[in-house]
Amino acid sequence: MTDRKRDVEKPVLVVFRHDLRVADNRALSAAAATGKPVVAAFVLEIDGGARPPGAARRWWLHHSLAALAKAVARLGGAPLILRRGAMGETVAALAREAGADLVHWNRRFEPAAVVADADMAARLFADGIRTERFEGHLLHDPARVRTGSGRAYRVFAPFWRALSSETEPRDPVDPPHSLRAPASLPPSERLDDWALLPEGPDWAEGLRACWTPGEEGARTRLAAFLEESVTDYAVERERPASFGTSRLSPHLTHGEITPAQLLTALKRRRGRGVDTFRKELAWREFAYHLMCSHPHLATDNVDARFDEFPWRQSAADLRRWQQGRTGYPLVDAGMRELWRTGFMHNRVRMVVASFLVKHLLIDWRSGEAWFWDTLVDADPANNPMNWQWVAGSGADAAPYFRIFNPVLQGERFDPGGEYVRRFVPELARLGDKWIHKPWAAPGKALSDAGLDLEAAYSLPLVDHQTARRRALSAFDGIRSTANDRP
Ligand code: FAD
């Protein structure tokens, strides 16, 4: 056998991590195009690297991996190999076991993941194995978008203008027609042994009812959004009761669909809905841009003046917020939506986050960590960026005096109380007038609704006006400037 022929027989190893798809997967398509056998492997990083997924994302990951394994098999590929460990060590060992002379992967951006991937590349290089890295998770390389003076952007509006003047991102690539299976495969771990699904109480019923993890689920959701919601998106996206947004975030987080695929799907459409949606996708780009310039975005205040902020310690108040028992119906509906479905509407995310950091004066990191564990779309860039935006400690932050009034927010964005009634059934029979402020309802309205407020629901954990004054005085020393909102 000639050297050339032998090389064609040596497999290419494709490493999956945050890119659980076969379409618009450049690492995979380029591997197939080499004509070599392909070994497809997913590595669950358990030692260093990316932030470990929380419970809701572990549930998602289990199902998404099962879907990916099927998609690879449909292309004629060998079974997906599963391995756990530190990225560099695990991939180097896999490449050796597979006899691969080439390894492909799609680029990650989380600072610790970048370090892990550099280690992986160095180990493979030392073993004489060629490597190739591909793009796909974002529309633009966050390190290339720069201000006139060559710095990273701190404010969204000019960042958005800069993106808008960039050339349109690349077209998505088709999935490979087929994958050549190698003659032999390294052993795989078993998905069930990873225990990604809840053990003990099965809290995932609501997640199963709402979501179909995997690439096909993402495609179906995109089709429904284009068909039903994109036209009115600019308006309906603010109404938590309506399904007016795409709900593609968990699919984007897990790389089951790419922003390039979304823009391509929107290409021939015009209107305010489309423009607004494109701008929301740009917020995602901005979050990654910010994470690249602030590597400790999830733990450190971007604005160092917040380092001395006198956060309150109250495990009891934090618990009531987490459980949706604050006595403010919109806040409680949001927190219960999160617990039940692994998701929360964006408007309500802002309100509950503001309630935690402003009304309760609890450190934004406690809220960020809770979201990280419970959101199916928990994203290493989007989550901390938005929390810091709400807290006022971010680069492009909400002004410190913006303290959402949960009653007015409810009356404005959920005027009929439909969203509250869906997630706070105790209040289901209360009239529209009181649904966002049940403590103010006269006795008759409560008895007509069959509601003993204190026993069946909660009185407000804090009085809004008192909490507002307390927050303003605590935030007084730290005045941030008004900017755009995410
Ligand atoms: P759509 O309205 O359909 O928007 C389309 C896509 O644009 C989203 O899927 C998302 O990728 C992106 N996007 C929209 N809004 C934002 C935003 N404000 N910041 C960044 N990207 C955005 N989003 C996450 O994906 N993961 C998170 O962990 C996350 N945590 C958040 C925490 C807080 C406190 C707040 C206020 C917002 C957070 N968001 C997060 C942003 C936003 O709430 C979600 O992206 C959105 O609700 C997802 O629903 P959708 O897919 O229907 O969004």
Side-chain angles (χ1 to χ4, degrees):
M1 199 189 283
T2 64
D3 280 359
R4 200 177 148 70
K5 177 99 172 99
R6 224 177 6 245
D7 280 355
V8 173
E9 290 314 313
K10 281 190 180 165
V12 46
L13 171 63
V14 179
V15 186
F16 288 84
R17 289 89 55 89
H18 61 318
D19 45 1
L20 306 179
R21 62 181 183 275
V22 297
D24 197 24
N25 187 327
R26 301 182 102 201
L28 182 68
S29 289
T34 61
K36 288 154 137 324
V38 172
V39 174
F42 173 83
V43 176
L44 182 63
E45 214 164 21
I46 51 170
D47 191 4
R51 191 173 172 187
R57 272 193 49 201
R58 286 167 68 83
W59 172 86
W60 189 286
L61 184 60
H62 177 100
H63 295 293
S64 190
L65 285 173
L68 178 66
K70 279 193 194 141
V72 168
R74 271 199 298 274
L75 295 173
L80 180 71
I81 305 292
L82 302 177
R83 289 285 175 95
R84 262 178 305 192
M87 192 56 66
E89 222 175 282
T90 310
V91 171
L94 250 179
R96 275 195 300 274
E97 290 171 44
D101 63 350
L102 175 62
V103 178
H104 282 189
W105 64 85
N106 290 310
R107 181 179 172 196
R108 301 190 292 174
F109 296 93
E110 231 184 307
V114 172
V115 173
D117 287 1
D119 171 60
M120 165 171 75
R123 284 171 189 265
L124 292 167
F125 180 76
D127 288 350
I129 295 171
R130 284 179 301 130
T131 60
E132 236 183 299
R133 186 185 81 171
F134 299 85
E135 303 289 340
H137 201 58
L138 300 176
L139 294 166
H140 301 273
D141 181 344
R144 279 198 44 244
V145 190
R146 283 288 177 264
T147 63
S149 54
R151 303 240 281 270
Y153 283 93
R154 290 175 61 85
V155 177
F156 177 73
F159 175 82
W160 167 236
R161 278 196 294 279
L163 279 202
S164 309
S165 65
E166 289 255 322
T167 47
E168 276 288 296
R170 62 178 181 81
D171 287 330
V173 296
D174 289 333
H177 289 298
S178 62
L179 295 171
R180 261 187 80 197
S184 67
L185 272 182
S188 172
E189 296 179 33
R190 281 169 26 108
L191 184 54
D192 286 340
D193 292 343
W194 284 3
L196 296 171
L197 298 177
E199 283 174 341
D202 175 12
W203 44 257
E205 191 189 337
L207 275 62
R208 284 192 292 275
C210 290
W211 303 104
T212 309
E215 199 170 0
E216 264 181 53
R219 270 198 297 269
T220 308
R221 209 163 268 276
L222 173 61
F225 177 63
L226 295 177
E227 175 80 23
E228 295 156 19
S229 314
V230 72
T231 312
D232 299 324
Y233 173 76
V235 176
E236 286 300 313
R237 65 182 289 273
E238 290 291 8
R239 302 198 173 279
S242 81
F243 292 88
T245 65
S246 70
R247 298 192 174 226
L248 283 165
S249 50
H251 298 289
L252 283 163
T253 295
H254 293 88
E256 296 165 355
I257 199 160
T258 64
Q261 288 175 302
L262 300 186
L263 287 195
T264 299
L266 292 171
K267 235 176 198 163
R268 274 187 282 280
R269 292 168 184 261
R270 297 278 173 274
R272 244 184 93 208
V274 173
D275 295 345
T276 310
F277 187 72
R278 291 174 74 107
K279 198 166 179 180
E280 293 308 314
L281 287 177
W283 273 105
R284 177 176 181 268
E285 299 280 314
F286 183 58
Y288 276 83
H289 182 73
L290 209 61
M291 181 174 67
C292 291
S293 55
H294 295 89
H296 303 292
L297 193 62
T299 49
D300 295 1
N301 297 305
V302 172
D303 182 340
R305 288 176 304 168
F306 274 76
D307 291 352
E308 301 308 317
F309 191 82
W311 297 114
R312 276 178 70 236
Q313 303 286 335
S314 171
D317 286 2
L318 178 63
R319 197 82 199 124
R320 277 184 67 175
W321 176 81
Q322 290 170 338
Q323 292 176 338
R325 292 190 303 111
T326 66
Y328 283 91
L330 186 64
V331 174
D332 294 343
M335 297 310 292
R336 295 186 199 185
E337 177 183 24
L338 174 61
W339 185 249
R340 196 190 309 166
T341 70
F343 184 84
M344 193 194 301
H345 186 275
N346 179 58
R347 166 62 46 186
V348 192
R349 289 187 203 205
M350 289 194 275
V351 174
V352 305
S354 170
F355 190 86
L356 186 78
V357 296
K358 307 258 167 103
H359 284 73
L360 300 182
L361 285 183
I362 290 179
D363 194 330
W364 62 266
R365 281 163 280 229
S366 301
E368 199 273 346
W370 181 253
F371 270 31
W372 183 261
D373 199 38
T374 50
L375 276 172
V376 285
D377 67 15
D379 184 280
N382 288 359
N383 197 38
M385 180 204 62
N386 278 284
W387 271 98
Q388 295 225 39
W389 179 84
V390 174
S393 62
D396 184 0
Y400 77 100
F401 50 81
R402 175 177 293 174
I403 298 173
F404 284 113
N405 179 331
V407 176
L408 296 183
Q409 290 283 312
E411 289 173 351
R412 179 158 172 214
F413 296 108
D414 185 35
E418 193 186 330
Y419 176 73
V420 163
R421 289 192 180 86
R422 191 179 302 156
F423 293 105
V424 189
E426 307 91 289
L427 303 179
R429 292 168 56 204
L430 197 59
D432 293 0
K433 186 166 178 199
W434 309 111
I435 189 78
H436 292 292
K437 44 175 186 283
W439 62 88
K444 169 130 179 29
L446 292 175
S447 60
D448 285 355
L451 186 63
D452 174 346
L453 199 58
E454 207 171 342
Y457 179 55
S458 301
L459 290 174
L461 183 54
V462 282
D463 165 64
H464 171 68
Q465 288 306 342
T466 314
R468 184 182 149 76
R469 277 194 298 276
R470 179 175 68 174
L472 286 176
S473 99
F475 277 82
D476 213 23
I478 304 167
R479 290 166 189 268
S480 44
T481 45
N483 274 316
D484 264 349
R485 53 152 293 280

